[in-house]
Amino acid sequence: MPPKRVIGIDAGGTKLLGGVVDEHLVVHHRVHRRWRGADRAETLRIVVDAVEEIRAAAPDALGVGFGIPSLVDSQRGTSVASVHLPLDDVPFRDLMAERLGLPVWLDNDVNAAVLAEHRHGAARGTSHAVMFALGTGIGGGLVLDGRLYRGATGAAGELGHTVVDIHGPRCPCGGCGCLEVLASGTAIGIAGTEAARAAPRSVLGQRLEADGAVGGSFVTELAHAGDELALEAVAEVGRRLGAGLVSILNILDPEVAVIGGGAVAAGDLLLGPAREVLVAQGLGPPRMRVVPAHFGDESGMLGAALLALDGSA
Ligand SMILES: [Zn+2]
């Protein structure tokens, strides 16, 4: 009998990644979409279009799992609120089921990602794991006592809105100094831009002069090449991430913190300084491992597929 297959969709803040995923977690057909600035109708249309493209390659798919960057009411299948997509108060599950004519499962994107990492990836074998996805913003997910932890209303695990500096910059959530604005992929670009302004003759400074902006991926590339200003910008963001990890360690005492999202391309240049802060400031003996996501930027898609595989079992 051929393996059971489903469609997994990770709808992130700036892009969608989807694929056909079989029960052995092998991905057979991938699609990508970008949607910066799309309104609600356009965003939903892009999602449907991506699923239809995948479905054409896998007509046997049993259903669709979605991870979306929203507070999700998983009982009702609604997107309650989202900082990154125009999906406030959208009955996402029913709407997609109706448009696609397939069974649909829904959760927060990083809840899905931590599910994949916990069952099959970097947090395998642990009982207590947290995940930070460092991209445009920072998403979070929690596995406690071996189960996804959603809290009283489904809003738990928003680790990106851990406040690490009450005098810090304004966050899209309305607060100030959240980890999201200080330690995301975007924050690496901002730290690089600040360094560039202070040193106009540096490589960073010249890039800022030429392009008018310095992005996180350029700063990371330059850091890997050994540029000292870029290394320091990445390390500073790593130390801020470390401050967030200290809070998580002290509150939850997990065995592992899995770091995913695009910014993890900085590897130990980012995670090394984060671990140093954690060891220096966390209460008790050093114990929580800080590791990159095993599935890279595909943990969200695979976790979304797991929701559908579990649901159609
Ligand atoms: Zn915030």
Side-chain angles (χ1 to χ4, degrees), residues 106-188:
L106 177 69
D107 210 328
N108 167 269
D109 55 349
V110 189
N111 279 359
V114 76
L115 191 67
E117 291 291 338
H118 178 252
R119 274 206 215 158
H120 304 284
R124 194 173 178 172
T126 65
S127 296
H128 312 287
V130 301
M131 182 162 181
F132 290 77
L134 313 183
T136 317
I138 297 184
L142 305 171
V143 167
L144 302 177
D145 281 323
R147 297 164 62 100
L148 206 53
Y149 180 78
R150 292 194 172 85
T153 66
E158 288 294 332
L159 307 180
H161 301 285
T162 306
V163 177
V164 290
D165 179 2
I166 58 166
H167 304 296
R170 182 68 75 180
C171 178
C173 75
C176 282
C178 296
L179 209 52
E180 167 151 323
V181 282
L182 292 168
S184 58
T186 311
I188 296 179

Side-chain angles (χ1 to χ4, degrees), residues 188 192 203-204 214-236 263 265-270 273:
I188 296 179
V203 181
L204 279 172
V214 174
S217 52
F218 177 72
V219 178
T220 298
E221 243 172 70
L222 209 55
H224 279 300
D227 181 273
E228 286 201 12
L229 278 181
L231 278 167
E232 177 48 30
V234 172
E236 172 62 16
D268 282 344
L269 301 181
L270 181 77

